[in-house]
Amino acid sequence: MKYVIATLLGVLLGAAGAAAVLYYNPLTRVRELPPKESWTLNYDFPGGSTLALTHAGQLGLPLIPSDVATLWETAITDVVLNVLVLEDENGAPRALASRISVPSRETDLLLRGFLVSEHWLITVPGQGTLFVDGENNLWPFLKESLIPVKYLQQEWHGPVRYPVTIGPTVGRTAEVFGVSGAYAGLRGSAVESYDLRRFSSDFGIEALRGTLAVALEERADAVEAELAAKPATTAGRE
Protein backbone atom coordinates (compact mmCIF):
# COMPACT_ATOMS: atom_id res chain seq x y z
CA MET A 1 0.00 0.00 0.00
CA LYS A 2 2.79 2.40 0.92
CA TYR A 3 4.33 1.89 -2.54
CA VAL A 4 1.03 2.87 -4.16
CA ILE A 5 0.82 6.00 -2.03
CA ALA A 6 4.44 6.88 -2.81
CA THR A 7 3.78 6.39 -6.52
CA LEU A 8 0.69 8.59 -6.42
CA LEU A 9 2.58 11.29 -4.53
CA GLY A 10 5.36 11.12 -7.10
CA VAL A 11 2.91 11.49 -9.96
CA LEU A 12 1.17 14.41 -8.25
CA LEU A 13 4.45 16.17 -7.49
CA GLY A 14 5.65 15.60 -11.03
CA ALA A 15 2.42 16.98 -12.46
CA ALA A 16 2.60 19.99 -10.15
CA GLY A 17 6.21 20.62 -11.17
CA ALA A 18 5.34 20.37 -14.87
CA ALA A 19 2.42 22.75 -14.37
CA ALA A 20 4.67 25.24 -12.60
CA VAL A 21 7.26 25.09 -15.37
CA LEU A 22 4.54 25.45 -17.97
CA TYR A 23 2.97 28.46 -16.27
CA TYR A 24 6.05 30.39 -15.24
CA ASN A 25 8.58 29.30 -17.85
CA PRO A 26 10.41 32.49 -19.01
CA LEU A 27 11.35 30.78 -22.28
CA THR A 28 7.79 31.28 -23.53
CA ARG A 29 7.96 35.05 -23.07
CA VAL A 30 8.22 36.96 -26.36
CA ARG A 31 10.59 39.90 -26.70
CA GLU A 32 9.56 42.70 -29.00
CA LEU A 33 12.17 43.24 -31.71
CA PRO A 34 10.59 45.44 -34.39
CA PRO A 35 12.40 45.55 -37.75
CA LYS A 36 14.51 48.63 -38.34
CA GLU A 37 13.04 51.34 -40.55
CA SER A 38 9.66 49.63 -40.45
CA TRP A 39 6.24 51.00 -41.32
CA THR A 40 3.25 49.96 -39.29
CA LEU A 41 -0.19 48.69 -40.22
CA ASN A 42 -2.78 48.75 -37.46
CA TYR A 43 -6.18 47.18 -36.87
CA ASP A 44 -8.83 47.09 -34.15
CA PHE A 45 -10.45 43.91 -32.95
CA PRO A 46 -13.35 43.36 -32.81
CA GLY A 47 -13.95 46.95 -33.96
CA GLY A 48 -14.59 48.49 -37.34
CA SER A 49 -11.36 47.15 -38.86
CA THR A 50 -12.78 43.63 -38.99
CA LEU A 51 -14.81 43.08 -42.15
CA ALA A 52 -15.15 39.33 -41.65
CA LEU A 53 -14.15 36.73 -39.07
CA THR A 54 -15.08 33.10 -39.26
CA HIS A 55 -14.02 29.83 -37.66
CA ALA A 56 -15.60 26.59 -36.47
CA GLY A 57 -17.57 28.37 -33.73
CA GLN A 58 -15.73 26.79 -30.80
CA LEU A 59 -13.05 29.37 -29.98
CA GLY A 60 -14.99 31.90 -27.94
CA LEU A 61 -14.50 34.47 -30.69
CA PRO A 62 -17.37 36.33 -32.34
CA LEU A 63 -18.48 35.61 -35.88
CA ILE A 64 -18.37 38.79 -38.00
CA PRO A 65 -20.87 39.41 -39.44
CA SER A 66 -23.04 37.24 -37.24
CA ASP A 67 -24.50 35.37 -40.22
CA VAL A 68 -21.16 34.53 -41.82
CA ALA A 69 -20.71 30.87 -42.78
CA THR A 70 -18.68 28.86 -40.26
CA LEU A 71 -15.73 26.64 -41.18
CA TRP A 72 -17.49 23.36 -40.46
CA GLU A 73 -15.45 21.05 -42.73
CA THR A 74 -13.31 18.61 -40.73
CA ALA A 75 -10.09 19.60 -42.49
CA ILE A 76 -10.38 23.28 -41.49
CA THR A 77 -12.12 23.28 -38.10
CA ASP A 78 -8.91 24.59 -36.45
CA VAL A 79 -8.58 27.49 -38.90
CA VAL A 80 -9.52 31.13 -38.24
CA LEU A 81 -10.12 33.31 -41.32
CA ASN A 82 -10.06 37.08 -40.91
CA VAL A 83 -10.53 39.95 -43.40
CA LEU A 84 -9.25 43.30 -42.14
CA VAL A 85 -8.82 46.92 -43.12
CA LEU A 86 -5.34 47.99 -42.01
CA GLU A 87 -4.65 51.60 -41.04
CA ASP A 88 -1.49 53.68 -41.20
CA GLU A 89 0.09 55.56 -38.28
CA ASN A 90 -2.43 58.40 -38.72
CA GLY A 91 -5.49 56.14 -38.60
CA ALA A 92 -6.22 56.36 -42.34
CA PRO A 93 -7.14 53.15 -44.23
CA ARG A 94 -3.97 51.90 -45.94
CA ALA A 95 -4.48 48.28 -46.98
CA LEU A 96 -6.88 45.36 -47.19
CA ALA A 97 -5.72 42.06 -45.72
CA SER A 98 -6.87 38.49 -45.41
CA ARG A 99 -5.31 36.41 -42.65
CA ILE A 100 -5.43 32.67 -42.08
CA SER A 101 -4.47 31.46 -38.58
CA VAL A 102 -3.70 27.79 -37.93
CA PRO A 103 -2.35 26.07 -34.78
CA SER A 104 1.32 25.32 -35.40
CA ARG A 105 2.84 21.85 -35.34
CA GLU A 106 5.78 23.43 -33.50
CA THR A 107 3.71 24.11 -30.37
CA ASP A 108 5.54 22.99 -27.22
CA LEU A 109 3.99 24.40 -24.07
CA LEU A 110 7.02 23.57 -21.93
CA LEU A 111 9.68 25.02 -24.21
CA ARG A 112 8.16 27.35 -26.80
CA GLY A 113 4.53 28.12 -25.95
CA PHE A 114 1.22 27.93 -27.79
CA LEU A 115 2.15 28.71 -31.38
CA VAL A 116 -0.08 29.80 -34.24
CA SER A 117 0.98 30.05 -37.88
CA GLU A 118 -0.21 33.31 -39.45
CA HIS A 119 -0.50 33.77 -43.23
CA TRP A 120 -1.31 37.29 -44.46
CA LEU A 121 -2.11 38.53 -47.95
CA ILE A 122 -1.95 42.33 -47.84
CA THR A 123 -3.00 44.54 -50.74
CA VAL A 124 -2.02 48.22 -50.69
CA PRO A 125 -4.18 50.02 -53.29
CA GLY A 126 -2.13 51.59 -56.07
CA GLN A 127 1.11 49.96 -54.84
CA GLY A 128 0.94 46.18 -54.77
CA THR A 129 0.53 43.04 -52.70
CA LEU A 130 2.58 41.45 -49.93
CA PHE A 131 2.53 37.96 -48.44
CA VAL A 132 3.53 37.61 -44.78
CA ASP A 133 4.36 34.23 -43.25
CA GLY A 134 4.63 34.42 -39.47
CA GLU A 135 4.52 32.37 -36.31
CA ASN A 136 3.01 33.84 -33.16
CA ASN A 137 3.21 32.70 -29.55
CA LEU A 138 -0.10 33.27 -27.77
CA TRP A 139 0.88 31.63 -24.49
CA PRO A 140 1.63 34.89 -22.58
CA PHE A 141 -1.85 36.16 -23.48
CA LEU A 142 -3.48 32.87 -22.52
CA LYS A 143 -1.52 32.64 -19.26
CA GLU A 144 -1.93 36.23 -18.09
CA SER A 145 -5.38 37.20 -19.38
CA LEU A 146 -7.57 34.43 -20.75
CA ILE A 147 -7.03 31.67 -18.18
CA PRO A 148 -7.02 33.81 -14.99
CA VAL A 149 -9.95 36.01 -15.97
CA LYS A 150 -12.24 33.77 -17.97
CA TYR A 151 -11.68 30.47 -16.18
CA LEU A 152 -10.40 31.42 -12.70
CA GLN A 153 -12.66 34.50 -12.38
CA GLN A 154 -9.78 36.75 -11.39
CA GLU A 155 -9.62 40.49 -11.97
CA TRP A 156 -7.99 41.54 -15.22
CA HIS A 157 -4.98 43.84 -14.82
CA GLY A 158 -4.65 45.85 -18.00
CA PRO A 159 -4.20 47.36 -20.47
CA VAL A 160 -1.23 45.24 -21.49
CA ARG A 161 0.95 44.84 -24.59
CA TYR A 162 1.81 41.42 -25.98
CA PRO A 163 4.57 41.09 -28.59
CA VAL A 164 3.63 37.81 -30.25
CA THR A 165 5.87 37.12 -33.28
CA ILE A 166 8.62 34.54 -32.73
CA GLY A 167 9.40 33.29 -36.25
CA PRO A 168 9.81 31.51 -38.53
CA THR A 169 13.17 33.24 -39.15
CA VAL A 170 16.22 32.80 -36.92
CA GLY A 171 15.81 36.48 -36.12
CA ARG A 172 12.41 35.70 -34.58
CA THR A 173 10.52 37.71 -37.19
CA ALA A 174 7.91 36.88 -39.80
CA GLU A 175 8.99 36.66 -43.45
CA VAL A 176 7.63 39.16 -45.98
CA PHE A 177 7.48 38.47 -49.73
CA GLY A 178 6.56 41.02 -52.39
CA VAL A 179 3.94 39.52 -54.71
CA SER A 180 2.94 42.21 -57.20
CA GLY A 181 3.18 45.86 -58.19
CA ALA A 182 5.90 47.99 -56.61
CA TYR A 183 6.58 45.21 -54.11
CA ALA A 184 7.20 42.44 -56.66
CA GLY A 185 10.37 40.56 -55.79
CA LEU A 186 11.04 42.43 -52.55
CA ARG A 187 11.81 40.56 -49.35
CA GLY A 188 11.61 41.68 -45.75
CA SER A 189 10.57 40.98 -42.20
CA ALA A 190 7.68 41.80 -39.88
CA VAL A 191 6.63 41.53 -36.25
CA GLU A 192 3.14 41.69 -34.76
CA SER A 193 1.99 42.89 -31.34
CA TYR A 194 -1.32 43.11 -29.50
CA ASP A 195 -2.34 46.05 -27.32
CA LEU A 196 -5.09 44.48 -25.22
CA ARG A 197 -7.19 47.36 -23.90
CA ARG A 198 -10.31 45.69 -22.50
CA PHE A 199 -10.88 42.08 -21.48
CA SER A 200 -13.65 40.51 -19.40
CA SER A 201 -14.77 37.08 -18.24
CA ASP A 202 -18.14 37.55 -19.97
CA PHE A 203 -17.04 38.78 -23.38
CA GLY A 204 -13.35 37.93 -23.61
CA ILE A 205 -11.52 40.40 -25.87
CA GLU A 206 -13.55 43.61 -25.92
CA ALA A 207 -10.93 45.94 -27.38
CA LEU A 208 -7.58 45.10 -28.94
CA ARG A 209 -5.26 47.12 -31.15
CA GLY A 210 -3.06 44.98 -33.36
CA THR A 211 0.09 46.31 -35.02
CA LEU A 212 2.08 44.72 -37.82
CA ALA A 213 5.46 46.39 -38.30
CA VAL A 214 6.86 45.68 -41.79
CA ALA A 215 10.35 46.35 -43.12
CA LEU A 216 11.23 45.73 -46.78
CA GLU A 217 14.68 45.33 -48.25
CA GLU A 218 15.77 46.65 -51.63
CA ARG A 219 16.20 44.02 -54.33
CA ALA A 220 19.78 43.31 -55.28
CA ASP A 221 18.86 43.10 -58.96
CA ALA A 222 17.10 46.47 -58.81
CA VAL A 223 20.17 48.10 -57.26
CA GLU A 224 22.45 46.55 -59.89
CA ALA A 225 20.15 47.73 -62.69
CA GLU A 226 20.14 51.25 -61.28
CA LEU A 227 23.95 51.31 -61.08
CA ALA A 228 24.26 49.94 -64.61
CA ALA A 229 21.96 52.66 -65.93
CA LYS A 230 24.16 55.47 -64.55
CA PRO A 231 26.72 56.94 -67.03
CA ALA A 232 30.26 55.81 -66.36
CA THR A 233 32.66 58.48 -65.08
CA THR A 234 36.20 58.97 -66.34
CA ALA A 235 39.19 60.42 -64.55
CA GLY A 236 39.44 64.20 -64.93
CA ARG A 237 35.89 64.52 -66.32
CA GLU A 238 33.89 67.38 -64.79
Side-chain angles (χ1 to χ4, degrees):
M1 185 67 180
K2 63 180 181 180
Y3 298 108
V4 174
I5 294 175
T7 300
L8 289 175
L9 287 175
V11 171
L12 290 175
L13 289 174
V21 171
L22 172 63
Y23 202 78
Y24 296 105
N25 188 356
L27 295 177
T28 61
R29 168 61 63 181
V30 181
R31 294 183 301 152
E32 186 166 22
L33 299 170
K36 295 180 180 180
E37 299 180 3
S38 61
W39 49 287
T40 59
L41 297 168
N42 307 297
Y43 63 90
D44 290 316
F45 179 82
S49 298
T50 305
L51 299 181
L53 175 65
T54 185
H55 45 82
Q58 302 172 350
L59 299 176
L61 296 172
L63 293 170
I64 302 174
S66 58
D67 59 350
V68 69
T70 59
L71 305 180
W72 56 269
E73 295 91 343
T74 303
I76 56 174
T77 52
D78 291 335
V79 173
V80 176
L81 176 60
N82 201 189
V83 179
L84 298 160
V85 174
L86 302 178
E87 301 174 348
D88 62 19
E89 296 89 339
N90 299 318
R94 175 73 185 276
L96 181 67
S98 60
R99 177 176 62 182
I100 297 175
S101 306
V102 186
S104 173
R105 296 179 180 178
E106 301 299 320
T107 288
D108 185 332
L109 292 180
L110 288 178
L111 298 178
R112 301 193 67 192
F114 184 84
L115 308 186
V116 176
S117 297
E118 303 276 1
H119 309 290
W120 297 74
L121 188 63
I122 302 173
T123 299
V124 182
Q127 296 190 40
T129 303
L130 297 167
F131 177 75
V132 181
D133 179 26
E135 193 168 71
N136 290 350
N137 182 9
L138 302 187
W139 180 240
F141 160 70
L142 298 176
K143 177 180 68 173
E144 297 171 10
S145 293
L146 181 67
I147 295 173
V149 177
K150 198 165 184 66
Y151 296 103
L152 302 180
Q153 298 299 304
Q154 296 179 5
E155 182 181 357
W156 180 62
H157 299 285
V160 61
R161 183 178 181 85
Y162 292 112
V164 291
T165 302
I166 65 162
T169 72
V170 293
R172 299 176 67 82
T173 66
E175 292 184 283
V176 181
F177 305 90
V179 178
S180 66
Y183 304 129
L186 295 180
R187 297 286 295 271
S189 58
V191 295
E192 188 177 7
S193 60
Y194 301 154
D195 283 305
L196 186 58
R197 298 176 177 179
R198 289 200 310 275
F199 188 90
S200 70
S201 59
D202 292 331
F203 303 103
I205 299 174
E206 296 185 24
L208 179 146
R209 182 73 164 174
T211 298
L212 186 69
V214 179
L216 293 174
E217 301 171 357
E218 222 172 354
R219 288 176 297 177
D221 58 346
V223 174
E224 292 173 0
E226 182 180 348
L227 292 175
K230 291 182 178 180
T233 58
T234 59
R237 183 176 178 179
E238 296 182 355

